[in-house]
Amino acid sequence: MLRAALSLLGLSLAGVEAAEESTQEPGPPREPPPGLALFRWQWHEVEAPYLVALWILVASLAKIVFHLSRRVTSLVPESCLLILLGLVLGGIVLAVAKKAEYQLEPGTFFLFLLPPIVLDSGYFMPSRLFFDNLGAILTYAVVGTLWNAFTTGAALWGLQQAGLVAPRVQAGFLDFLLFGSLISAVDPVAVLAVFEEVHVNETLFIIVFGESLLNDAVTVVLYKVCSSFVEMGSDNVQATDYLKGIASLFVVSLGGAAVGFVFAFLLALTTRFTKRVRIIEPLLVFLLAYAAYLTAEMASLSAILAVTMCGLGCKKYVEANISRKSRTAVKYTMKTLASCAETIIFMLLGISAVDSSKWAWDSGLVLGTLVFILFFRALGVVLQTWVLNQMRLVPLDKIDQVVMSYGGLRGAVAFALVILLDRTKVPAKDYFVATTIVVVFFTVIVQGLTIKPLVKWLKVKRSEHHKPTLNQELHEHTFDHILAAVEDVVGHHGYHYWRDRWEQFDKKYLSQLLMRRSAYRIRDQIWDVYYRLNIRDAISFVDQGGHVLSSTGLTLPSMPSRNSMAETSVTNLLRESGSGACLDLQVIDTVRSGRDREDAVMHHLLCGSLYKPRRRYKASCSRHFISEDPQERQDKEIFQQNMKRRLESFKSTRHNNCLTKSKPRLRKTGRKKKDGVANAGTTAGEPPGDLGFQDTAAVVLTMASEEEEEEESDSSETEKEDDGGIIFVARATSEVLQEGRVSGAHEVCPSPRIIPPSPTCAEKQLPWKSGQGDQAVYVSSETTKIVPVDMQTGWSQSISSLESLASPPCTQAPTLSHLPPHPMAAEEPQAPPTLPSDSLPSFAFPPNLAKAGRSHSESSADTPQQQELQPLMGQEDRTHLSPGAAKPRWCVHFNKGGRL
Amino acid sequence: MGIRSSHAEAIPDVDTLRRETGFSQASLARLYQRFRALDKNKKGYLCRVDLQQIGALAVNPLGDRIIDSFFPEGSHIVDFPGFAKVLAHFRPVEEEDTRVRDVKEPEPLNSRMNKLRFVFQLYDLDRDGKISWDEMLQVLRLMVGVQVTEEQLESITDRTVQEADEDGDGAVSFLEFVKSLEKMNIEQKMSIRILK
């Protein structure tokens, strides 16, 4: 690949490099080495990759320079600047080397430069928009391109017949047709480069851009058919050849699309099984897409179509399957490659234009072509739009048509195709090359420069970027379903009907097949939007340093601003009473919220400063797997437990305050036992006191084995945050949180896997909790659900047995006996991980609490209220939840967090 | 089956209906044909069962609600004018619809507001003019699918209601509903081309 690229980019190193070589490459090669050479200059060995790298570097530096001035880039599209830069560089090279070098070679272009751009555009194509406008796109791509090619070719031929083209241009009708076919196609690279900066409305954009991608099939077919006709000579072309030409249009386009879909399927299927080797996920995406391109190219199908369809088809499943980090990697790599390729293409275009040996000028031909492509493009657009508007729901108005006609930019594809012409078969090649260069330059520079003012002047509807809201997403789904239903009622099987069908098919079979189970479970657009909103809130929360916390509550950036915070809480209260969720828990929550808020700030401070170093450490440990070996794990463990203890001591001191406020409390000290249980997996004997999220987390860890180690394990504290813990946030209750803290304070968690989640969960949860009581309430109702009834009985049994064994069944004593370890933990943060404190057997499980079962957590702080609640909650528990369902649900939760 | 009888003349009171719904003669004729096809026993009206027979509606999560919307409060049958008026909500907005109208003239059925009101009524089951939290939850449950747990659904509901709820009463009123969709091209998204 490199070799090929090299041969294309830098064939010879005449001029500057040659001079350098001669001076810098002394002795060693020529005479036998006198001894060990201290210094050897081996330019030739690195020449090719070096040049490639240099070119890319130059292009990137140029981009930086362009963007130094906002004024320039806001007026002039980058593609224009790059072409101009290419012209300058080409001029320099020409002046120095006395011959043109580093031109855009068709081979490089088609094999290396084009695929990344097309993949990028296909992969990030808004598929819904694309399919909504598929009819128009296909019309413009197929009919429009055919129309352009034939009319331009025929008109040029007419021009020649009329004597306006110099007679030295030796071309027949077929030659002109060939030229027309290559010059008629709107170029995806150029369109993308210009339109991305113009920001026209999305319908217009998708139509022009979709056309430029899909017309490749037509261009390829026309080009091939015409060039083989030219080779055969016009006299030998039979009627069957025309038919074959038409048939090949279908073969090439449908075949290309089929190849793309096959590879999309393969790609989606492959990524389903990468959960243990996340690191190669991005690679797979690129490899298979590239394979699709090459396969289509090999079978002389439309490669652009193949890779577009591959990207379009696989995205949904791939995005669901691969990890969040891989998704980022794919996105950025794709964008980088595409922008790199685009830059090089435009620069090389500029450089290639300098080579005057390749082209021959004919004013008649050049001017004629320019006029014809503009005219016929406009005419074609108007005619097709008129037909399309008869069928379109939203007609394309005149302004749209102007932009579409004017946006028909030609680019590197045309140039590469014209370079590919065989001079012996097409004697007028040089003229065609010159004309193509002029056309490309004219469209990219002149039209590119003027399209922005034109769009402004015509007041074309611009694309409006608004953040997605849950309401919009929900209602949009509603609209879809309504429309599908109405089409059913009306008895017309239109677009909505088929889309509905497809979605059902996709949900039933395709997604099941192509998405891994965990991903499929959580794949839902509404949920997705919800998740993203949460992420955004969380990020902005963190960005603000956690200072969004005000005295009244948390303001979330993605929420519309409220009239007053007081109203919110009233709302919540009202809703609570209405929704049948446990109202009293809400009260508890409000009582505590102030304290929690402080905790939140503290927690953020600590976590933020403490966990960073560890992450760095981890990153260096392996390049194949992002998991750590036991030794490292242990180190981390120690570190983490220290940290943890510090945190907990912090919280527990705070918590103690509240303890003293509330009635003397009974401690469930059987906790540490629970850790073992939880670690072993979820067993029926798991105590109800384990409501604390530590256990939940542990359960998740063991059950949701799909989650990678690195995502689950302690270390990726901060990463995990963006990996999506926010969900917890909405769900975990303050009770749960408190519980976790209490327990954490009292014991030093012996299990490495259990500890980590707790700060994470807490941390994640905090931003949410304090601001929104309502959420906390749901959460709390969830808490109540989480321990199945039979487990409770198991727990109380085990507890009673323990009580009889280990500790006196005293209700008051535990509090006292337990306090000592507490301060100690606070005072000695450096203590080794396995503290004796947790081995202190202080089991105290008051009978009343044992009865209450799952409401332990609440009991820790607000015993009176708690006890009042118990009957209610007991009921709720039984009605809402089947015992078995509780845990899995939590798992789903956590999974979601990690995955989305 | 109704090819012969699908002439517009066969439709009772066709002119009034055209004025009210804005449908073209051809559309009305097509709808009438469909109406008669759905009307299995040639009763002259449709009842719920007739609409429930439509296969694809059964799998549509909103199918039942949409069927309900054909039947005004308390009634169990819908005649052709009623049928056409419901469908008139989905007529694309055309040039003449947007021209300045007489104030006294009622808004056409396919106006933005009426389209939105139609959707709103699908959410607002108890017809109290507000989408309560529970109603929102029910809709979300229909839309989101089985893979999202109840708890998650509830928090989504929370957020959805909060997002749209401006006066803080914990429910989404029609005005709030309209506001939450103000950036959307409802005219386009709630129209079906063939219903011109």
Side-chain angles (χ1 to χ4, degrees):
Chain A
M1 172 168 159
L2 272 178
R3 186 171 300 256
L6 285 189
S7 62
L8 299 164
L9 280 175
L11 277 179
S12 79
L13 291 175
V16 193
E17 284 88 0
E20 276 178 18
E21 277 165 52
S22 57
T23 55
Q24 309 241 5
E25 207 174 336
R30 278 171 226 152
E31 55 212 53
L36 187 65
L38 274 182
F39 183 78
R40 286 181 67 201
W41 192 260
Q42 295 178 313
W43 166 252
H44 280 294
E45 294 185 14
V46 296
E47 173 188 336
Y50 206 101
L51 280 178
V52 173
L54 263 187
W55 275 117
I56 297 176
L57 184 66
V58 168
S60 315
L61 289 180
K63 273 194 164 189
I64 296 177
V65 172
F66 296 156
H67 285 276
L68 282 181
S69 157
R70 281 192 82 79
R71 274 255 310 285
V72 173
T73 41
S74 68
L75 287 176
V76 187
E78 207 180 82
S79 46
C80 300
L81 290 172
L82 283 169
I83 284 198
L84 294 177
L85 172 77
L87 278 176
V88 172
L89 285 179
I92 293 173
V93 170
L94 190 67
V96 174
K98 303 285 182 278
K99 64 180 193 172
E101 295 298 341
Y102 316 118
Q103 303 197 354
L104 186 62
E105 302 287 336
T108 335
F109 173 72
F110 282 118
L111 288 185
F112 303 113
L113 294 177
L114 193 53
I117 299 175
V118 180
L119 176 62
D120 173 61
S121 47
Y123 193 77
F124 292 105
M125 175 112 65
S127 55
R128 173 74 197 264
L129 205 59
F130 179 77
F131 285 111
D132 279 357
N133 293 292
L134 189 60
I137 292 171
L138 277 179
T139 314
Y140 290 120
V142 177
V143 181
T145 309
L146 287 174
W147 158 270
N148 285 346
F150 282 108
T151 49
T152 310
L156 283 175
W157 181 73
L159 205 66
Q160 190 203 35
Q161 298 303 97
L164 292 172
V165 175
R168 58 178 189 275
V169 181
Q170 300 166 327
F173 180 70
L174 275 177
D175 297 282
F176 279 118
L177 214 54
L178 175 59
F179 179 61
S181 73
L182 66 86
I183 203 75
S184 65
V186 176
D187 183 69
V189 185
V191 165
L192 200 64
V194 169
F195 271 69
E196 267 192 344
E197 298 180 21
V198 177
H199 303 300
V200 294
N201 64 70
E202 41 190 19
T203 313
L204 198 51
F205 175 76
I206 201 76
I207 288 179
V208 177
F209 180 52
E211 176 200 342
S212 71
L213 278 177
L214 297 196
N215 68 15
D216 172 66
V218 182
T219 313
V220 167
V221 171
L222 268 183
Y223 180 80
K224 279 183 185 150
V225 169
C226 288
S227 52
S228 52
F229 282 2
V230 167
E231 280 173 29
M232 287 156 66
S234 52
D235 302 330
N236 304 327
V237 179
Q238 317 265 315
T240 51
D241 291 323
Y242 290 108
L243 287 181
K244 276 188 201 160
I246 295 170
S248 75
L249 175 61
F250 289 96
V251 171
V252 166
S253 56
L254 296 182
V259 168
F261 282 126
V262 166
F263 275 91
F265 182 83
L266 286 179
L267 177 52
L269 201 63
T270 321
T271 53
R272 206 189 144 168
F273 302 104
T274 53
K275 74 180 175 226
R276 304 215 178 275
V277 271
R278 292 288 198 194
I279 212 78
I280 62 160
E281 278 171 345
L283 192 64
L284 277 177
V285 174
F286 290 103
L287 280 183
L288 276 167
Y290 194 49
Y293 187 91
L294 294 181
T295 310
E297 191 75 49
M298 183 177 69
S300 52
L301 303 172
S302 166
I304 292 187
L305 209 54
V307 83
T308 305
M309 290 305 161
C310 182
L312 201 62
C314 75
K315 187 183 183 199
K316 178 180 171 187
Y317 311 104
V318 168
E319 295 269 284
N321 283 339
I322 64 181
S323 78
R324 189 174 181 76
K325 280 171 229 155
S326 303
R327 234 175 293 159
T328 314
V330 167
K331 182 177 171 189
Y332 280 96
T333 317
M334 222 176 249
K335 293 283 177 204
T336 309
L337 285 178
S339 113
C340 202
E342 190 188 274
T343 310
I344 293 178
I345 287 174
F346 282 118
M347 209 169 68
L348 291 185
L349 260 184
I351 294 176
S352 312
V354 177
D355 182 10
S356 55
S357 66
K358 267 190 183 168
W359 46 274
W361 183 269
D362 182 80
S363 311
L365 185 66
V366 169
L367 286 179
T369 312
L370 265 184
V371 171
F372 288 142
I373 61 161
L374 285 174
F375 173 73
F376 286 117
R377 165 93 186 160
L379 188 63
V381 165
V382 170
L383 289 178
Q384 291 170 77
T385 313
W386 183 80
V387 175
L388 279 173
N389 275 349
Q390 307 299 310
M391 293 180 286
R392 274 181 72 85
L393 181 63
V394 190
L396 296 162
D397 56 20
K398 294 212 170 51
I399 292 175
D400 290 343
Q401 295 176 32
V402 171
V403 175
M404 279 166 62
S405 320
Y406 203 69
L409 306 180
R410 271 64 163 181
V413 172
F415 181 78
L417 286 178
V418 82
I419 293 288
L420 276 180
L421 288 179
D422 186 351
R423 198 193 304 258
T424 56
K425 307 273 168 48
V426 188
K429 178 189 172 186
D430 289 351
Y431 296 98
F432 289 156
V433 171
T435 315
T436 310
I437 289 177
V438 172
V439 167
V440 169
F441 275 46
F442 179 83
T443 53
V444 172
I445 295 180
V446 176
Q447 286 177 250
L449 267 176
T450 48
I451 198 163
K452 224 171 183 174
L454 183 79
V455 164
K456 245 182 222 157
W457 180 65
L458 288 174
K459 298 194 179 61
V460 177
K461 270 178 282 171
R462 300 299 193 92
S463 66
E464 36 196 47
H465 274 289
H466 44 84
K467 298 168 184 167
T469 66
L470 269 176
N471 276 283
Q472 283 180 6
E473 187 68 27
L474 168 67
H475 301 322
E476 233 169 294
H477 279 256
T478 315
F479 295 157
D480 288 347
H481 286 303
I482 292 176
L483 288 188
V486 170
E487 281 197 350
D488 286 335
V489 170
V490 175
H492 168 83
H493 288 181
Y495 173 68
H496 301 286
Y497 172 83
W498 289 113
R499 205 195 49 231
D500 208 49
R501 281 279 118 125
W502 165 255
E503 272 172 14
Q504 272 162 26
F505 171 75
D506 174 65
K507 209 170 195 169
K508 252 190 198 151
Y509 305 106
L510 263 188
S511 292
Q512 302 255 21
L513 181 65
L514 295 180
M515 287 187 195
R516 60 182 66 155
R517 263 194 175 337
S518 54
Y520 173 69
R521 266 201 316 245
I522 54 174
R523 194 70 196 168
D524 187 274
Q525 281 160 318
I526 296 178
W527 169 256
D528 222 43
V529 173
Y530 175 67
Y531 176 79
R532 248 178 266 156
L533 285 176
N534 280 351
I535 292 272
R536 215 174 52 219
D537 286 344
I539 288 175
S540 60
F541 175 78
V542 173
D543 284 347
Q544 291 166 35
H547 289 311
V548 276
L549 292 167
S550 64
S551 56
T552 38
L554 182 67
T555 34
L556 294 177
S558 68
M559 291 263 180
S561 58
R562 315 231 149 237
N563 303 345
S564 78
M565 277 302 161
E567 269 185 8
T568 330
S569 57
V570 171
T571 313
N572 298 334
L573 281 174
L574 282 178
R575 169 147 12 86
E576 279 351 298
S577 52
S579 68
C582 185
L583 184 62
D584 309 70
L585 287 184
Q586 159 88 50
V587 176
I588 293 167
D589 187 62
T590 19
V591 170
R592 280 194 191 159
S593 60
R595 197 170 54 241
D596 286 343
R597 226 173 287 128
E598 290 167 28
D599 282 353
V601 174
M602 223 14 113
H603 206 103
H604 272 287
L605 274 178
L606 288 174
C607 290
S609 55
L610 290 178
Y611 283 111
K612 267 169 206 151
R614 254 187 337 135
R615 187 158 70 151
R616 209 177 338 126
Y617 172 34
K618 185 181 115 188
S620 65
C621 76
S622 161
R623 47 192 290 209
H624 305 295
F625 300 99
I626 318 181
S627 61
E628 53 269 89
D629 59 281
Q631 183 51 49
E632 283 165 344
R633 187 177 272 272
Q634 186 136 28
D635 293 347
K636 247 171 251 173
E637 207 41 59
I638 296 171
F639 180 79
Q640 198 192 359
Q641 292 195 354
N642 285 340
M643 287 310 122
K644 162 114 177 155
R645 200 165 314 110
R646 257 188 236 180
L647 287 180
E648 296 310 339
S649 62
F650 233 118
K651 278 176 240 149
S652 55
T653 43
R654 295 178 168 283
H655 196 70
N656 272 342
N657 299 343
C658 87
L659 290 192
T660 50
K661 270 189 291 180
S662 63
K663 280 165 78 179
R665 254 172 340 122
L666 317 163
R667 296 262 162 118
K668 312 131 272 177
T669 38
R671 273 204 167 270
K672 58 169 182 169
K673 183 203 69 181
K674 129 214 129 179
D675 283 325
V677 176
N679 227 3
T682 50
T683 56
E686 196 175 352
D690 297 338
L691 299 175
F693 57 82
Q694 288 195 346
D695 287 275
T696 345
V699 171
V700 171
L701 287 175
T702 45
M703 294 187 60
S705 58
E706 308 127 326
E707 277 303 289
E708 291 154 289
E709 303 293 297
E710 94 254 20
E711 284 187 5
E712 304 230 308
S713 69
D714 40 9
S715 45
S716 45
E717 214 54 64
T718 28
E719 286 163 66
K720 212 176 168 182
E721 208 166 299
D722 38 309
D723 263 6
I726 290 89
I727 305 101
F728 308 98
V729 164
R731 326 212 125 252
T733 78
S734 58
E735 279 74 32
V736 171
L737 180 63
Q738 291 287 357
E739 169 87 326
R741 289 176 187 161
V742 176
S743 64
H746 295 325
E747 73 199 357
V748 179
C749 295
S751 139
R753 310 203 69 198
I754 293 178
I755 315 157
S758 58
T760 324
C761 299
E763 182 178 77
K764 282 166 184 162
Q765 148 184 16
L766 288 164
W768 299 83
K769 202 180 39 145
S770 45
Q772 301 181 330
D774 47 359
Q775 276 173 342
V777 167
Y778 294 109
V779 172
S780 42
S781 66
E782 188 175 294
T783 337
T784 63
K785 294 168 193 170
I786 205 136
V787 177
V789 183
D790 53 350
M791 288 191 183
Q792 291 171 27
T793 53
W795 163 245
S796 35
Q797 281 165 9
S798 62
I799 280 296
S800 51
S801 62
L802 277 174
E803 278 175 31
S804 58
L805 281 176
S807 73
C810 144
T811 46
Q812 305 290 342
T815 332
L816 297 173
S817 74
H818 210 87
L819 279 175
H822 211 295
M824 186 184 83
E827 286 157 16
E828 301 176 317
Q830 308 303 336
T834 44
L835 255 199
S837 69
D838 65 332
S839 62
L840 277 180
S842 49
F843 294 106
F845 204 73
N848 60 336
L849 279 185
K851 207 170 50 193
R854 82 202 124 34
S855 49
H856 274 292
S857 42
E858 293 87 12
S859 75
S860 60
D862 302 76
T863 322
Q865 282 160 355
Q866 187 47 53
Q867 283 171 353
E868 286 163 21
L869 284 181
Q870 277 160 18
L872 172 70
M873 290 175 36
Q875 269 176 0
E876 204 181 29
D877 189 16
R878 250 160 261 126
T879 50
H880 269 231
L881 249 221
S882 67
K887 295 286 175 184
R889 272 194 195 170
W890 266 99
C891 291
V892 173
H893 256 5
F894 278 72
N895 275 343
K896 215 153 277 185
R899 190 157 308 262
L900 269 178
Chain B
M1 72 206 274
I3 302 286
R4 244 181 310 116
S5 55
S6 72
H7 298 295
E9 296 80 46
I11 307 168
D13 217 3
V14 66
D15 288 333
T16 337
L17 202 53
R18 274 194 64 188
R19 209 167 39 247
E20 283 178 21
T21 60
F23 280 131
S24 67
Q25 192 93 358
S27 296
L28 269 185
R30 183 156 11 122
L31 285 182
Y32 192 57
Q33 185 185 338
R34 175 69 178 168
F35 180 81
R36 292 170 51 105
L38 289 174
D39 180 12
K40 289 273 162 13
N41 308 323
K42 301 276 167 283
K43 311 180 282 289
Y45 55 82
L46 297 180
C47 44
R48 264 164 230 266
V49 184
D50 293 323
L51 289 179
Q52 279 156 2
Q53 303 279 314
I54 305 171
L57 264 187
V59 287
N60 193 317
L62 293 175
D64 282 338
R65 293 179 182 222
I66 287 161
I67 291 178
D68 285 342
S69 66
F70 277 92
F71 300 94
E73 209 72 36
S75 104
H76 296 290
I77 55 166
V78 59
D79 55 0
F80 182 66
F83 182 74
K85 275 179 205 161
V86 171
L87 292 177
H89 286 104
F90 299 95
R91 191 167 63 85
V93 180
E94 283 161 37
E95 297 269 322
E96 64 255 33
D97 292 323
T98 53
R99 70 174 199 271
V100 185
R101 299 183 140 261
D102 198 351
V103 195
K104 281 170 281 177
E105 218 174 324
E107 239 181 312
L109 284 171
N110 65 346
S111 73
R112 182 187 173 94
M113 276 303 161
N114 278 327
K115 281 177 195 291
L116 283 174
R117 193 160 284 130
F118 182 88
V119 181
F120 187 79
Q121 277 165 7
L122 290 186
Y123 291 100
D124 184 19
L125 290 180
D126 57 5
R127 304 274 158 111
D128 65 347
K130 281 183 177 178
I131 305 173
S132 69
W133 190 87
D134 285 324
E135 284 162 349
M136 190 66 94
L137 177 66
Q138 286 181 42
V139 174
L140 276 164
R141 191 177 289 135
L142 291 176
M143 312 292 295
V144 170
V146 284
Q147 64 268 41
V148 174
T149 65
E150 193 67 21
E151 289 83 13
Q152 290 165 345
L153 213 54
E154 283 170 4
S155 36
I156 296 179
T157 315
D158 274 344
R159 179 128 197 173
T160 315
V161 173
Q162 278 183 23
E163 210 176 70
D165 181 20
E166 291 198 326
D167 57 7
D169 62 352
V172 182
S173 70
F174 182 62
L175 283 182
E176 287 164 352
F177 177 75
V178 171
K179 188 121 188 281
S180 72
L181 287 174
E182 65 186 346
K183 290 207 181 101
M184 257 212 233
N185 191 350
I186 304 298
E187 291 87 343
Q188 179 185 340
K189 289 200 189 245
M190 280 287 288
S191 299
I192 292 181
R193 193 178 49 78
I194 54 146
L195 292 175
K196 276 213 166 159

